[in-house]
Amino acid sequence: MAGALKTTRALCFLASLRVYAHGDDIWATELLQRKLVLSGTATELGLPEERLKAAEPLWWFHCPKCGTSFINALISLPGVCPGLPLHSVDSTTLGSCFGPNFFTSVCPSWCSGMECVFPPHQALGDYTAKKGRLVGLFRDPDQRLLSLYHSWGNGPDCFDWSETFKNMTKPPFLEYADLMKGGMTYQLTQVDQRSTVGTPLDVHRPMTSDDAKEASRRVREGFAFVGLTEEWDMSICLFHKMFGGHCRAEEFEDVRPTSSGKDASVDYDTSELMGFHDDIDEIVYSAALDVFKTNVVLYNVSQDSCRSCFSVRS
């Protein structure tokens, strides 16, 4: 009887689920299987406020082109930035260099529940000290590379290297892709935090599959929250399911589009890759995808259960 009840609940979960990234009937079937395996585990997860307290101060692992807009989800968590006099961190509230302005001038005074990580896109550094406090979103590595390439020269002049970068000649895509391959792996395993990962001037050493395996282990074991850029809305809902607080309209807005008019929900044409594939970061992304899928099941995240959250979208 108990087994039949679990199966019925799982089927109801599947019927309510509408996850479209990566296809998918295959994904939906896998989520159903996980639901059956993990049934009953959610009762052991504890309360959102307990999970948040255990993870504070949060350390935002921010990969380039994986979602600057996530900052507005971070500041919305209860107690992370108590009394913050901003409803959104964007160009309207803090100017075109809103990211640097927030982390250097606002965050230190208002956000005791998170570390004010600056400069952006830092390498992880001391992983042991940050284990269990890491939060971040990951993106399909080939789409991330295409987004990086198309953002060439589009950013505001917020850093010392900005002007130098704008005077550089944009290389052919394959040359650029080969240079930037394994960027997420590098950022997860590099010790020297002084490097600003992902800038055009950061030439990192080639990453190996062993580096990627270590990076993926850290994703599985060291992150308090893992989201997916491709599943932005579901990731925001999951974030609040795990740590509490209410979804806000600002969390669903793209405050740093790659280029004017670019719809963040539309993938780049992969024919531009000309057969190139970042097989190093694919190992890391697969780990992030696995963690995300598991938590979607554990925290009962679906179109139905997130209806209240999604209702605030513009």
Side-chain angles (χ1 to χ4, degrees):
M1 181 67 178
L5 181 58
K6 286 183 179 181
T7 302
T8 300
R9 287 174 176 169
L11 289 171
C12 290
F13 170 82
L14 179 60
S16 70
L17 191 63
R18 300 290 187 275
V19 181
Y20 293 110
H22 294 270
D24 293 307
D25 294 337
I26 295 176
W27 192 356
T29 301
E30 183 180 340
L31 288 174
L32 171 57
Q33 293 170 340
R34 291 175 190 237
K35 180 73 173 179
L36 291 169
V37 171
L38 297 170
S39 181
T41 307
T43 58
E44 305 168 6
L45 295 175
L47 299 173
E49 54 267 31
E50 294 172 342
R51 285 190 291 274
L52 178 57
K53 185 176 181 179
E56 289 181 335
L58 302 174
W59 204 93
W60 181 19
F61 177 78
H62 183 192
C63 294
K65 309 313 297 180
C66 286
T68 297
S69 306
F70 187 57
I71 183 58
N72 284 319
L74 287 168
I75 66 172
S76 73
L77 290 181
V80 169
C81 298
L84 180 69
L86 289 175
H87 66 279
S88 177
V89 176
D90 56 39
S91 59
T92 301
T93 58
L94 291 174
S96 60
C97 295
F98 60 86
N101 290 341
F102 174 79
F103 281 107
T104 58
S105 301
V106 179
C107 182
S109 300
W110 292 95
C111 301
S112 58
M114 62 183 286
E115 293 200 29
C116 303
V117 182
F118 187 83
H121 313 313
Q122 281 191 21
L124 200 54
D126 186 352
Y127 165 70
T128 302
K130 300 178 180 70
K131 183 178 179 181
R133 301 190 292 113
L134 297 163
V135 295
L137 286 93
F138 293 81
R139 187 175 185 177
D140 175 273
D142 294 337
Q143 288 293 321
R144 193 182 78 87
L145 275 175
L146 285 167
S147 184
L148 273 171
Y149 188 69
H150 284 286
S151 68
W152 184 283
N154 290 333
D157 296 333
C158 301
F159 305 99
D160 293 340
W161 50 262
S162 297
E163 189 61 32
T164 302
F165 171 38
K166 288 195 173 183
N167 291 329
M168 293 171 64
T169 301
K170 187 175 183 179
F173 174 74
L174 290 181
E175 180 182 327
Y176 179 81
D178 189 59
L179 173 69
M180 303 305 293
K181 179 179 178 178
M184 290 193 295
T185 298
Y186 176 77
Q187 195 172 343
L188 280 162
T189 56
Q190 177 70 9
V191 175
D192 185 2
Q193 287 184 266
R194 290 174 298 176
S195 61
T196 303
V197 181
T199 72
L201 305 183
D202 176 49
V203 182
H204 59 70
R205 68 176 178 84
M207 294 287 100
T208 67
S209 59
D210 286 340
D211 292 321
K213 289 174 184 176
E214 171 59 21
S216 65
R217 183 185 70 81
R218 295 181 177 192
V219 171
R220 294 180 187 278
E221 299 177 4
F223 275 69
F225 170 78
V226 170
L228 301 178
T229 306
E230 294 87 353
E231 283 295 336
W232 188 272
D233 291 5
M234 285 290 190
S235 294
I236 294 299
C237 181
L238 173 63
F239 191 58
H240 285 288
K241 288 268 191 179
M242 293 180 70
F243 297 121
H246 300 290
C247 300
R248 301 179 302 118
E250 291 82 5
E251 298 172 59
F252 297 98
E253 296 176 3
D254 185 3
V255 299
R256 178 57 61 76
T258 295
S259 56
S260 179
K262 172 67 173 68
D263 186 341
S265 65
V266 178
D267 283 347
Y268 288 94
D269 183 354
T270 54
S271 66
E272 295 183 60
L273 296 170
M274 294 176 280
F276 178 89
H277 175 58
D278 190 342
D279 57 333
I280 299 298
D281 273 354
E282 181 64 36
I283 297 172
V284 175
Y285 183 72
S286 293
L289 192 60
D290 188 56
V291 173
F292 178 77
K293 289 177 181 178
T294 296
N295 285 335
V296 161
V297 172
L298 282 176
Y299 293 92
N300 189 31
V301 173
S302 68
Q303 287 290 332
D304 281 350
S305 68
C306 295
R307 190 172 298 168
S308 175
C309 174
F310 294 163
S311 68
V312 304
R313 293 178 296 193
S314 300

